[in-house]
Amino acid sequence: MSHKKLKAVLFDMDGVLFNSMPYHAEAWHQVMKAHGFTLSREEAYMHEGRTGAATINIVFRRELGREATPEEIKSIYQEKSDLFSSYTQAEPMPGAKELLQKVKGEGLIPVLVTGSGQLSLIEKLERHFPGIFKKELMVTAFDVKRGKPDPEPYLMGLKKSGVKADEAVVVENAPLGVEAGRRAGIFTIAVNTGPLNDSVLLDAGANLLFPSMQALCDAWDTVEH
Ligand code: CA
C-alpha cells in the first residue's frame, strides 16, 4: 500500500470491531440443533458473512435436499437473532478502538461494511467508538442484496465513501469476507480472531494476515507504507 494513495479503511464488524463471533456461532449451532440439523460452531465461522438466508439454505440443501421456504428462513433466522441477543453482550475487540483512532487521526475515512442487520450492535458502534463512523458511511444488511462472498458490500462501501478500490484497504476476519474484499479489487488485511487456521484466510486471498486486531494496530504504520 502506498501511503499517499490510501484514503479509506473498510472495516467489517463482527469478529473485527466486536468479539461477537463466538455468540453468533453458538446461536447458529443451537438453533439448527433444535430443528434437527447439524451445524457445528466451526462451520458457522466458515459461513460468516453470508446472509442468514444463504446459511440456512446451505444446511437445508445438504440435509433435506431442498431450499428452505421463505417462512422457514424467517422463523429460523428470527430464532437465531433472538438467541444471539439473549447472550452476554459482545465486547469491543482489543485493539480496535486504538486502530480506529489512528485511522481517523491520519485523516483516513473509516467505513463500516457488515452483513449484520442487528440494530443493537450498530447502535453499539457509537457507544464504544464514538465519533468514528458516520451513518452515511455504513453498509449493513439493509443496503445490499447479495451478502459476502459477493463483492457487492465492499463495492458499495467504496461508492459511499467516494474512493477507488486502490485507495482503500479492507480489514476482515472471515474467509468469505476476505473473498468479498478481494473480488471488489481491494487490498485485504485478514485478522485471525477466530478458531480457523490461518491457511483458510490466506487461501481466500488475504494480502496480509495478523493474529489479532492489536497486532494489526501495532503494525499499522508499517502496513501503510
Ligand atoms: Ca466478520
Side-chain angles (χ1 to χ4, degrees), residues 66 83 112 184 190 223:
R66 66 168 176 88
L83 191 54
L112 183 81
V223 167

Side-chain angles (χ1 to χ4, degrees), residues 24 27-29 31-33 35-39 43-44 47-81 176:
H24 282 294
W28 274 120
H29 172 68
V31 167
M32 285 302 186
K33 198 165 108 182
H35 284 266
F37 298 118
T38 308
L39 177 70
E43 189 190 342
H47 294 311
E48 181 185 352
R50 289 191 202 283
T51 63
T55 299
I56 291 164
N57 269 326
I58 283 171
V59 174
F60 266 67
R61 278 196 298 269
R62 179 176 69 213
E63 303 194 10
L64 295 180
R66 66 168 176 88
E67 303 260 305
T69 65
E71 293 74 27
E72 286 167 332
I73 288 170
K74 198 176 168 207
S75 85
I76 291 174
Y77 190 63
Q78 187 64 51
E79 285 173 46
K80 185 260 163 183
S81 298
L176 296 177

Side-chain angles (χ1 to χ4, degrees), residues 170-181:
V170 162
V171 181
E172 261 287 351
N173 72 304
L176 296 177
V178 168
E179 188 184 333

